Amino acid sequence: METPAIPAPEARSALPAGLRGIFPVLVALPILAALHWILSESPFAVYLLSVMGVNIILAVSLNIVNGMTGQFSIGHAGFMAVGAYISGVLSLSLKEVALSFLPVAASDQVLFTVALLVGGLAAAACGFLVGLPSLRLRGDYLAIVTLGFGEIIRVVVQNTDMFGRALGLSGIPQYSSPAMVYFWVFLTILVARRIAGSSHGRSLWAIREDEVAAEAMGVDTTSYKVRAFVISSFFAGIAGGLFAHFVPIINPGSFTFVKSMEIVVMVVLGGLGSTTGAIIAAIFLTLLPEGLRSMFNLLGTESTLAQKVDQIRMPIYGILLVVLMLSRPQGLFGTKEIWDVLPRWLPRKRRGLA
Amino acid sequence: MAQLLQHLINGLAAGTIYALVALGYTMVYGVLKLINFAHGDVMMVGVYMGYATAFALGRDMRSSLVGVALIFAVAMLGCAFLGFLFERFAYRPLREKPRLTALITAIGISFALSYGFQLDIGFLPGASPRAFPEIIEPKEWITIGDRDVVVWNWQVISFLIAVGLMVALQYLVFRTRFGRAMRAVSWDHRVAALMGIPTDRVIALTFMLSSALAAGAGLLYAIKDTSVSPLMGLYVGLKAFVAAVIGGIGHVPGAVVGALVLGLVEEFVVGYAASTWRDAVAFGFLILVLLVKPGGLFGRVAAEKV
């Protein structure tokens, strides 16, 4: 890895301490409301933005394990599957239930939130299980174990009647809205950034740079690694739940090794350890196929080529990984955030924050 | 009883093929400490090379002894060259970088190959599975009772080839100059270079050897399974890798034992439980083994340097 970017202490802010904590929320909520209002017209934009949001949550949450802690996990889609299926089943069984003291839409949203949280917690429990072997396994071996867990989850789902076996679940009520998705995006980013700057995060960075040295300095490496896994898989589960509630059907095919690798590509492209990098990479890699498709469509007659974009995407991901590792192994931003990389004219005085 | 015996035979036959692929993983890991994720996909490319050769040879030629030898030779040499290319242009520039970068590169190559081969553009074969031509005519060599237990010729052939290659490899690693160089490089490649060992050449040759082995194993697999598809490398490779880890990665006999054990476990799951659980059981078994012995059955856990 490159030279360790130890997060500098938080600079002084002009805001009073009490307001500073809730300031992001005060900014985010009006933006989300506006987003929801603007987008309610175009279903494609809603879909695209939702996919993008889910990918951002996945990339940012995986970055906590892969980027900050340096534990290479390649089974993130498994946690997403847990969240998607658990919350999906819950929503299906609660479909007829309505909380009588609330209007229907509000009651739906409350139930949806409950289902999401349960899915996230189930995923977090799985993350705990996967994190435990990290007590004894390191590096490559841990990567393989996470891969194995992801595959096991997929096979279990495929063989359980409750989860619809290979056919998957259909008819899950479509509760997800862009506002809901981006609320969770916001929450994920907030948590990731708070972790990165906290003393907890510093322990994670220490583990990433040198596990043995970190342990020698008194960092309880196992407990921190397990915690990183739990937090990361909780948000992956949430992302899965959100995903399940805006696509018409989920099946085991959506959560394979390939999906895990897509998320890994996002994290690696953005820079292992950079939250803004993960966000930008997630946005870029979600929009890339759409952009390619419309570009080919614009070029005219080659409509078959436009249809092939989804096929071309995976080889492109592969080549992208190879080229990236050869030319810029630390990713676009390394462990830095976007405001550390962009030139000084960026209106920000608090430079040097990780 | 007869059923048990049959499962035992099938499991061993599947295990020998895993073993050949696993040997490639183990050799590369032993020398470079790199999990060559693209190994299974190199195998897949080898199978397609064999497929193309078989068609070029025509119906009569390909089932003759010369034809079969030619198919194997083309696939193995072609894959050796592929292995050389990957080592030279993808892994060698990263040798002094952290191991994670090389692992990510390997995953990238794996994806580029397995999904690139699914495109139906130009000469690429497209996503749909194809029937591999029958280059060795299947025969029942041993039958016990009223076809209670059947041993097929390809089972015996692949078992013999696998055991032969394994013994040859063991000889190569422990009895030849090249093997000694390999072991020296695996111990510490910087010091090995100081001692006058051409490190780059040894590593390149190891890669070529492992890729050629993969091609041979892939052809044996295709003879057994008769269906080839661009995704076969991803899954066979993953299983073989699991086998190598179970045996203790970097340990040659360990890879073979791990593969045989994995083949048997899978066969018994398919035979006595449900075939859909096969992959989960393979990975579950892997995790179990790693939890009990983090270095695999035969591996040693290296002490961490501070």
Side-chain angles (χ1 to χ4, degrees):
Chain A
M1 305 293 159
E2 59 182 43
T3 47
I6 303 296
E10 195 94 18
R12 274 167 186 271
S13 156
L15 289 168
L19 198 57
R20 215 185 304 151
I22 54 165
F23 183 66
V25 186
L26 290 180
V27 176
L29 286 183
I31 295 179
L32 288 182
L35 185 80
H36 190 64
W37 177 65
I38 294 167
L39 279 172
S40 47
E41 297 301 314
S42 156
F44 181 66
V46 166
Y47 175 78
L48 200 60
L49 265 174
S50 304
V51 174
M52 209 156 83
V54 164
N55 281 340
I56 294 175
I57 299 178
L58 289 169
V60 170
S61 63
L62 184 65
N63 191 35
I64 297 175
V65 169
N66 280 16
M68 295 183 194
T69 325
Q71 307 293 308
F72 199 58
S73 161
I74 44 181
H76 215 49
F79 302 121
M80 187 190 173
V82 171
Y85 271 96
I86 299 283
S87 65
V89 164
L90 216 65
S91 278
L92 274 176
S93 57
L94 292 177
K95 216 174 182 175
E96 308 303 323
V97 182
L99 303 174
S100 54
F101 53 88
L102 283 172
V104 177
S107 137
D108 279 351
Q109 286 300 316
V110 170
L111 291 177
F112 173 42
T113 309
V114 171
L116 263 188
L117 286 176
V118 172
L121 290 177
C126 291
F128 181 72
L129 280 181
V130 180
L132 276 186
S134 67
L135 176 69
R136 304 194 63 176
L137 304 173
R138 340 205 112 142
D140 308 337
Y141 286 88
L142 188 64
I144 296 317
V145 166
T146 55
L147 174 96
F149 258 97
E151 289 294 297
I152 289 174
I153 287 170
R154 195 176 57 81
V155 174
V156 168
V157 163
Q158 212 156 15
N159 287 294
T160 313
D161 283 327
M162 191 173 71
F163 297 134
R165 291 182 174 264
L167 287 178
L169 294 178
S170 53
I172 301 171
Q174 315 274 292
Y175 291 147
S176 282
S177 62
M180 190 70 172
V181 172
Y182 279 86
F183 172 71
W184 280 103
V185 167
F186 162 73
L187 220 60
T188 316
I189 296 171
L190 193 69
V191 169
R193 291 286 300 141
R194 298 308 288 182
I195 288 177
S198 68
S199 70
H200 191 286
R202 249 165 271 202
S203 304
L204 298 185
W205 294 110
I207 293 172
R208 168 198 159 134
E209 294 308 332
D210 192 329
E211 215 173 313
V212 180
E215 190 143 23
M217 295 308 289
V219 176
D220 182 2
T221 49
T222 312
S223 123
Y224 276 105
K225 282 191 283 183
V226 172
R227 265 184 260 173
F229 262 106
V230 168
I231 295 168
S232 159
S233 44
F234 171 77
F235 283 111
I238 296 285
L242 290 165
F243 178 74
H245 287 82
F246 71 75
V247 295
I249 187 165
I250 53 171
N251 57 33
S254 328
F255 309 106
T256 53
F257 175 53
V258 176
K259 182 68 192 173
S260 298
M261 287 320 301
E262 272 179 45
I263 312 168
V264 169
V265 174
M266 287 169 195
V267 173
V268 172
L269 176 68
L272 283 159
S274 168
T275 304
T276 42
I279 298 168
I280 290 170
I283 294 174
F284 174 69
L285 288 177
T286 318
L287 293 183
L288 182 70
E290 305 302 326
L292 280 178
R293 193 175 293 137
S294 57
M295 199 175 77
F296 286 135
N297 273 333
L298 273 183
L299 286 178
T301 52
E302 284 286 346
S303 62
T304 48
L305 206 57
Q307 287 161 2
K308 278 198 188 118
V309 164
D310 273 332
Q311 283 185 11
I312 301 174
R313 196 173 50 144
M314 295 318 297
I316 288 181
Y317 278 7
I319 294 167
L320 192 68
L321 272 183
V322 177
V323 172
L324 201 69
M325 283 301 112
L326 290 173
S327 57
R328 201 175 159 77
Q330 72 273 39
L332 291 180
F333 297 128
T335 51
K336 297 193 177 100
E337 301 293 349
I338 187 164
W339 44 83
D340 305 321
V341 179
L342 287 186
R344 280 180 187 278
W345 44 259
L346 206 74
R348 189 176 173 102
K349 283 181 182 167
R350 294 158 54 192
R351 292 169 51 82
L353 284 181
Chain B
M1 189 59 213
Q3 203 191 359
L4 183 79
L5 200 62
Q6 182 69 64
H7 284 313
L8 218 59
I9 290 166
N10 292 349
L12 283 178
T16 47
I17 290 168
Y18 285 153
L20 283 177
V21 189
L23 281 177
Y25 272 111
T26 263
M27 277 165 64
V28 168
Y29 190 89
V31 171
L32 265 187
K33 298 281 173 290
L34 162 73
I35 294 180
N36 184 11
F37 245 99
H39 192 65
D41 301 286
V42 170
M43 180 198 95
M44 179 272 295
V45 176
V47 171
Y48 272 103
M49 284 177 183
Y51 178 87
T53 318
F55 265 86
L57 287 177
R59 190 168 295 276
D60 298 330
M61 195 47 194
R62 69 181 169 226
S63 48
S64 68
L65 198 61
V66 181
V68 173
L70 209 62
I71 291 170
F72 269 83
V74 168
M76 290 174 85
L77 287 178
C79 275
F81 182 63
L82 205 64
F84 168 75
L85 285 183
F86 286 151
E87 198 279 330
R88 181 68 192 78
F89 294 107
Y91 298 130
R92 190 179 295 182
L94 296 175
R95 203 171 291 158
E96 301 301 325
K97 297 265 171 59
R99 276 160 53 198
L100 193 58
T101 49
L103 180 67
I104 296 174
T105 309
I107 292 174
I109 292 178
S110 159
F111 266 56
L113 283 181
S114 55
Y115 285 90
F117 263 65
Q118 285 187 38
L119 303 173
D120 36 11
I121 301 171
F123 66 94
L124 297 170
S128 50
R130 300 196 179 181
F132 196 79
E134 211 171 67
I135 55 176
I136 299 175
E137 192 189 340
K139 278 194 196 112
E140 296 172 6
W141 269 14
I142 308 168
T143 44
I144 301 174
D146 186 19
R147 286 175 56 83
D148 288 332
V149 180
V150 182
V151 181
W152 293 89
N153 59 347
W154 54 262
Q155 289 180 324
V156 178
I157 291 172
S158 59
F159 186 77
L160 289 180
I161 293 180
V163 171
L165 279 172
M166 199 176 78
V167 172
L169 202 61
Q170 194 72 358
Y171 177 81
L172 181 83
V173 172
F174 288 103
R175 291 279 183 276
T176 61
R177 262 170 74 91
F178 175 65
R180 190 181 297 163
M182 259 170 85
R183 282 180 290 143
V185 172
S186 105
W187 194 256
D188 188 330
H189 76 258
R190 282 190 205 86
V191 177
L194 288 178
M195 298 294 122
I197 292 169
T199 325
D200 283 343
R201 202 186 302 160
V202 170
I203 292 176
L205 275 172
T206 310
F207 254 93
M208 290 165 73
L209 199 62
S210 98
S211 303
L213 268 179
L219 286 178
L220 290 175
Y221 184 84
I223 290 170
K224 170 197 136 194
D225 214 45
T226 66
S227 139
V228 293
S229 74
L231 279 183
M232 66 186 284
L234 220 52
Y235 282 92
V236 179
L238 220 52
K239 287 298 173 48
F241 175 68
V242 167
V245 176
I246 287 175
I249 193 160
H251 193 270
V252 170
V256 176
V257 173
L260 292 181
V261 169
L262 185 72
L264 286 174
V265 167
E266 283 199 354
E267 178 66 25
F268 281 115
V269 170
V270 174
Y272 292 108
S275 60
T276 43
W277 286 93
R278 196 175 68 171
D279 293 357
V281 169
F283 280 109
F285 187 62
L286 168 80
I287 293 171
L288 213 67
V289 169
L290 284 184
L291 283 182
V292 179
K293 282 193 67 113
L297 291 177
F298 294 87
R300 282 188 307 269
V301 182
E304 290 237 13
K305 287 177 216 159
V306 181

